[in-house]
Amino acid sequence: MQAVDAETYLKALLSAPRPGSEQVLAFYDHRVGHICTDPRLLLLPLDDHICHRGDGLFESISFRQRTIFGLDAHLARLVDGAAALSITPPCTWEALRQHILDVALAAGVDNGDLRVFLSRGPGGFGISPAECPQAGLYIVALKKALPTAAFYEKGLTAFASAIPPKQEYLARIKNTNYLPNVFMAMEARQKGMDVAVTFDENGIMGEAAVANVGLVDAQGRLLCPEIRRILPGTTLLAAMEVAAERMPVVQMPIPRAAIDSASEMLLFTSSTLCVGITHFDGKPVGHGAHAGKPGPVALWLKDVLLDYMLKKGAPL
């Protein structure tokens, strides 16, 4: 094999297979300085440390009805993560926020997902951040089908993961080191279930691979894990706020045994808001008429969270 000229290489590059490209609506690369809608050009420099060291941050953001959910909460978490990793964005935070809005607008749809990546930046294949003169910023808008009523009525299945929770100093940073989460997703697929949930060495509940979890106990309280070895999910935090208007909300260490006596188990994500977990480790969650079914709190929260996100969100 011999080297070819740039024109030949570019032609081959643009015709190379790109699985999933049909989901890409628009994207922005700060090095280029333009928004593009041709997914063939959605490319990342391999020497960006986000590629070969996982040295970067990301946010998964949903938008519905031309409203971006929790944009400022996502940006606040990104700011905290950037401070923890000592990454300075290549633009002001105000400009970064506007870039997100611009990419969402360029997508040309009312509903979708966004991914925001703030990386150490390109500069070499070592491990030291010193070789990267400027951080990278990549924003992508993606197609996303809205969850159906049947999805919420069916609910999800979950199990105790063999993967331990992340260390505390990493868990609260939404970084691109997601190998434990990948293992959890593989576990779920192998078991034929939907959601893997971590538990620490003391049997205390953590989180799912890309979501937070909580319980409704027999006293009607919403129990949420302490924000220690879990990511502070924007939807979980919003759920705690809205639920407090109707029921007691308690952050506490949740032992695995609490699932057996719980009336409901809940999953919180940006895209599906709140979904009931109907079975855990093969056993129905809940008691009586709601056993093994999404409970009333899960169904109520997904509606009030949607109203909350639309009211508090950033309009396009």
Side-chain angles (χ1 to χ4, degrees), residues 258-292:
I259 299 172
D260 294 333
S261 60
S263 60
E264 296 186 47
M265 189 171 186
L266 313 174
L267 185 89
F268 301 100
T269 75
S270 294
S271 59
T272 59
L273 301 176
C274 180
V275 189
I277 294 174
T278 62
H279 292 74
F280 188 82
D281 279 342
K283 299 177 181 178
V285 175
H287 307 279
H290 297 299

Side-chain angles (χ1 to χ4, degrees), residues 234-254:
T234 57
T235 306
L236 172 65
L237 298 177
M240 291 170 60
E241 181 181 338
V242 299
E245 299 176 4
R246 167 171 163 168
M247 60 200 299
V249 176
V250 181
Q251 280 189 284
M252 58 176 282
I254 302 175

Side-chain angles (χ1 to χ4, degrees), residues 109-307:
V109 296
D110 293 344
N111 310 296
D113 273 358
L114 296 162
R115 298 291 185 272
V116 180
F117 298 90
L118 181 60
S119 73
R120 185 67 65 183
F125 290 94
I127 196 169
S128 173
E131 68 180 7
C132 306
Q134 186 180 62
L137 173 64
Y138 314 96
I139 304 168
V140 187
L142 302 164
K143 293 179 183 177
K144 180 69 174 183
L146 294 178
T148 64
F151 169 78
Y152 289 109
E153 291 167 4
K154 180 182 178 183
L156 302 170
T157 57
F159 64 95
S161 176
I163 307 302
K166 295 178 182 178
Q167 297 159 297
E168 187 171 348
Y169 78 99
L170 284 177
R172 290 175 290 179
I173 303 172
K174 197 171 179 69
N175 64 85
T176 52
N177 275 294
Y178 254 49
L179 195 54
N181 310 63
V182 172
F183 284 139
M184 292 170 70
M186 291 169 60
E187 272 187 309
R189 184 171 182 178
Q190 290 164 0
K191 290 179 179 289
M193 298 190 195
D194 300 310
V195 179
V197 179
T198 60
F199 292 84
D200 71 11
E201 57 277 7
N202 298 312
I204 301 301
M205 189 170 74
E207 60 188 347
V210 291
N212 292 115
V213 289
L215 299 178
V216 179
D217 69 6
Q219 288 74 47
R221 303 179 301 170
L222 175 61
L223 307 183
C224 302
E226 294 178 307
I227 308 295
R228 289 182 54 248
R229 296 178 69 178
I230 68 170
L231 186 75
T234 57
T235 306
L236 172 65
L237 298 177
M240 291 170 60
E241 181 181 338
V242 299
E245 299 176 4
R246 167 171 163 168
M247 60 200 299
V249 176
V250 181
Q251 280 189 284
M252 58 176 282
I254 302 175
R256 183 169 172 176
I259 299 172
D260 294 333
S261 60
S263 60
E264 296 186 47
M265 189 171 186
L266 313 174
L267 185 89
F268 301 100
T269 75
S270 294
S271 59
T272 59
L273 301 176
C274 180
V275 189
I277 294 174
T278 62
H279 292 74
F280 188 82
D281 279 342
K283 299 177 181 178
V285 175
H287 307 279
H290 297 299
K293 301 176 182 178
V297 174
L299 297 174
W300 169 73
L301 268 177
K302 61 101 172 171
D303 289 333
V304 296
L305 278 170
L306 178 58
D307 291 342

